[in-house]
Amino acid sequence: MEISKTKTMQKVFLGIVLLLSFPIWCQKPIGDEPPSVQVISRVTKEAIMLRWAVTTPTAWKYANKYGFTIERKTIVRAGEILREPEIKKITTRPILPKPLAAWEEFASKNDYAAIAAQAIYGDDFDAELEEGGNDMMSIVNLSDAMEQRFSFALYAADQDFEVAKYSGLAYIDTDVKPDERYLYNIKTAIPEEKMSVAHGGVYLGLSDYIELPQPIDLVGIFKDKSVLLSWNSTSLADYYNNYIIERSEDNGTTYIPVSDVPIINMGEKEEKTTDRMFYIDSLPQNDKEYRYRIKGISPFGQISPPSKTVAGVGKKALEYNPAIQEAKLQSDNTTAIITWEFPEEGLESLSHFELNRSDAIKDNYQIVIPDIAKTTRSLEFKNLSVINYFTITAVGVDGTKRVSFPKMVQPVDDTPPANPFGLTGVIDSTGIVRLQWNANTEPDFLGYRVFRANLENEEFTQITFRTIPQNNIVDTINIKTLNNKIYYKVQAFDKRYNPSGFSEVVALKKPDIIPPTKPVFKSFSADKGVIELHWITSSSIDASKTLVYRKEKGKESPWQLVSETDIPQNQYKDVTAIPALTYLYTLVTMDESGLESEPVTPLTISLPDNKSKPEIDKFVAVVNREERQIGINWRYTAKGVKEFLLYKAEEGKQPTRYKIFSNTDTKFTDHQLTVNTKYTYLLQAVFDSRAKSPIKKIEVEY
């Protein structure tokens, strides 16, 4: 038996259109996940309803041939977990789609049944992938056709529970008890050598029963012979995938569905823009109240309680715009008469007029006179502002609005605003000038213009291309000029461009970015523990201080600031210098802005240690002729000794340096002797500062 191709193709076309718009609850697996059985369920007061599907087209093809099996395990009874679950094979034979002959009458009455039957039993469904030989396009086309059939079949089953049962994808278990809970396992009967499909399952009992929720948040916007209905579908997406919309024309006594087929739930999108569904219904006529409500349909064919109703009346849309003919200023200079026209044929859809006013031609219109009778064509408006733009809005009975073109009314005004005052400003080191002043408070105030001059007595130049509304401005100047000040003044304008007088001129000092000239060393001296420096100070007018820096020569230590002398002082005495150390000295000039000159070429100065040193405390010699030696001993307690120098001379000869001893040595034995010779020994201490003690002398007869 074959399904009528003409009627079937019409129904399949309907399915294609719907399928392209709405997703199916059971999608193909992601990535490389194996095919599996996916299960959903619904509990009634007396039964447990099951729905399932496989996740790939190939698994669906084989499942249609081999079917599904259902196994139930009783896990809990009377609140107690059974030690050994009771296992029941619900299906003695696999559940398969009903044969084609059983679909004929059902498909003639149900579009979704026709789609499912065509997907399962349509022509060429039994073609194998091997057909077509090496023709790659045949394989691709066959694969695409299989995916479409798979998608159509699951879509149709998802929309009608009876279609799901006919398709072998649903079961109702009525052999259940209120005090028990069950684990259902649903598997395909596909042989393992054909394909491995993971089983699916659910765990529940009659105690899980809950009433279907009422659809929520139904809203209706009534227009000219139409109404836009919308409701929250996302919050109930787990319950309903279809909706029935019902309309009442007799104040809610009877409700009739607005279409023969349910409204499809759009489901989730990758980029979700709204959580609502929308439907536009045509109203048979305007000026009559219609009531609407919706009911949800679950994937198990259950219908929810109706939502709350919305009611409204269609109104003829407003089609015409008003037009202001005249907006005339009266002799009191504060009142305007506005006159407009509106087509007579538009009065039926007109509710009333509104007068709007703004300070600008395009923006910020405010309603100043509401609810003007639709028979009125002229009115008076008092308390005009400096500039007034008026429009007339026609408000339709359906709430729509149409606005006229604006007309301007401007009272006479020749009074200027007050002079700006409190002008102050600062200039940073980059030449950015920031000015500010006290704001004007006149109601017709427009803005300011700012003027600048490089010299106090020269002509000022405007630096604003147009009036500015704010009481501050940022300007940029060149600070590398000879004049060290810049001058500003400000002028105010009202909306009639009446100018005020100028503000007082403010003179701003430019920041100093030019460092002062260097000082010059004149002379120095180093004596008696003091290094004294003399210099010629900087010739810069704004020079304020001379900075003296010092560092020890030959070391990587940083320069040390040892003095800040106010100009015109031009000398410095360094009493902290250590004798015999070599120092580098340099000078830097600082000006009033804190800028510093380049340092001068350093001077190299050493402070001599010319302070007198104490004599050596003890210096004696002992002759030992038996051992042919002279023993020499000394003692010296002065601090800072580096070494001792020993000089020796025979009688009648000049002494020469004989030995050098460390600062810890205190004795020496001389063996280089000649009998019957008179020797002279001289001892002198040398300090770290290279200073030397007085020479200690002894004479010895050997």
Side-chain angles (χ1 to χ4, degrees), residues 190-402:
I190 302 171
E192 282 292 328
E193 61 270 17
K194 291 284 186 180
M195 173 177 279
S196 176
V197 180
H199 66 84
V202 289
Y203 174 69
L204 70 172
L206 291 180
S207 60
D208 293 313
Y209 169 76
I210 58 172
E211 295 284 347
L212 285 174
Q214 179 186 48
I216 61 173
D217 199 17
L218 176 63
V219 176
I221 301 175
F222 290 81
K223 296 290 185 180
D224 184 12
K225 290 189 177 181
S226 69
V227 59
L228 173 63
L229 300 171
S230 72
W231 60 94
N232 189 322
S233 61
T234 301
S235 60
L236 299 178
D238 291 339
Y239 292 95
Y240 309 122
N241 55 1
N242 295 335
Y243 289 89
I244 299 171
I245 300 178
E246 297 179 331
R247 182 178 71 199
S248 173
E249 301 181 18
D250 55 5
N251 295 324
T253 302
T254 58
Y255 282 89
I256 299 174
V258 299
S259 67
D260 295 334
V261 295
I263 308 303
I264 305 301
N265 185 353
M266 293 183 180
E268 297 292 335
K269 296 182 180 180
E270 290 185 5
E271 294 184 4
K272 187 172 180 180
T273 57
T274 178
D275 60 358
R276 305 183 67 79
M277 287 181 63
F278 297 88
Y279 183 83
I280 298 177
D281 189 32
S282 298
L283 302 178
Q285 67 183 68
N286 285 329
D287 302 318
K288 177 181 178 179
E289 183 179 82
Y290 296 91
R291 294 175 181 267
Y292 287 87
R293 68 185 186 185
I294 60 173
K295 297 177 181 178
I297 304 177
S298 76
F300 299 91
Q302 297 170 303
I303 298 177
S304 75
S307 68
K308 294 181 180 180
T309 62
V310 295
V313 177
K315 296 292 183 180
K316 183 175 177 60
L318 186 65
E319 299 178 358
Y320 301 97
N321 285 58
I324 297 179
Q325 293 177 300
E326 184 180 43
K328 185 177 180 181
L329 179 67
Q330 300 301 292
S331 58
D332 63 0
N333 204 40
T334 62
T335 305
I337 301 295
I338 296 96
T339 304
W340 67 94
E341 60 181 11
F342 188 81
E344 290 293 325
E345 55 267 31
L347 291 178
E348 179 184 355
S349 59
L350 177 66
S351 171
H352 61 276
F353 293 106
E354 296 171 346
L355 178 66
N356 315 292
R357 197 205 74 83
S358 174
D359 293 332
I361 190 170
K362 292 184 178 180
D363 304 310
N364 301 320
Y365 281 89
Q366 303 294 326
I367 299 174
V368 291
I369 302 181
D371 299 322
I372 303 170
K374 65 180 183 178
T375 57
T376 303
R377 296 294 181 271
S378 180
L379 54 74
E380 183 180 89
F381 182 80
K382 293 183 176 294
N383 300 321
L384 294 172
S385 297
V386 178
I387 297 179
N388 306 269
Y389 291 94
F390 291 102
T391 60
I392 289 290
T393 299
V395 182
V397 293
D398 64 343
T400 58
K401 294 185 177 184
R402 291 184 176 269

Side-chain angles (χ1 to χ4, degrees), residues 3 5 43 128 131 166 213 258 310 326 365 370 390 397 411 443 453 486 496 514 516 525 586 642 652 667 675 688:
I3 299 172
K5 292 185 181 295
V43 179
E128 296 293 335
E131 292 182 0
Y166 266 67
V258 299
V310 295
E326 184 180 43
Y365 281 89
F390 291 102
V397 293
I486 194 79
R496 291 294 185 86
I514 301 175
S525 62
T586 188
K642 179 181 180 182
K667 59 184 178 178
V675 178
D688 292 331

Side-chain angles (χ1 to χ4, degrees), residues 579-580 609 613 640 642-643 685-693:
D609 187 2
K613 304 299 181 182
K642 179 181 180 182
E643 60 190 10
V686 180
F687 290 81
D688 292 331
S689 63
R690 292 301 176 185
K692 297 179 180 180
S693 69

Side-chain angles (χ1 to χ4, degrees), residues 66-132:
Y66 295 102
F68 295 89
T69 62
I70 305 175
E71 178 186 84
R72 189 187 75 188
K73 294 182 180 179
T74 304
I75 305 298
V76 175
R77 179 176 290 129
E80 298 289 335
I81 298 177
L82 300 182
R83 186 181 299 274
E84 293 290 335
E86 294 180 1
I87 301 175
K88 176 182 179 182
K89 297 286 186 179
I90 291 180
T91 53
T92 56
R93 292 183 302 173
I95 298 176
L96 293 165
K98 288 185 179 295
L100 181 60
W103 286 85
E104 182 70 19
E105 182 179 357
F106 186 28
S108 67
K109 300 177 182 179
N110 187 301
D111 289 340
Y112 297 121
I115 294 172
Q118 181 67 18
I120 298 172
Y121 295 109
D123 293 341
D124 301 325
F125 176 72
D126 291 330
E128 296 293 335
L129 292 178
E130 291 80 3
E131 292 182 0

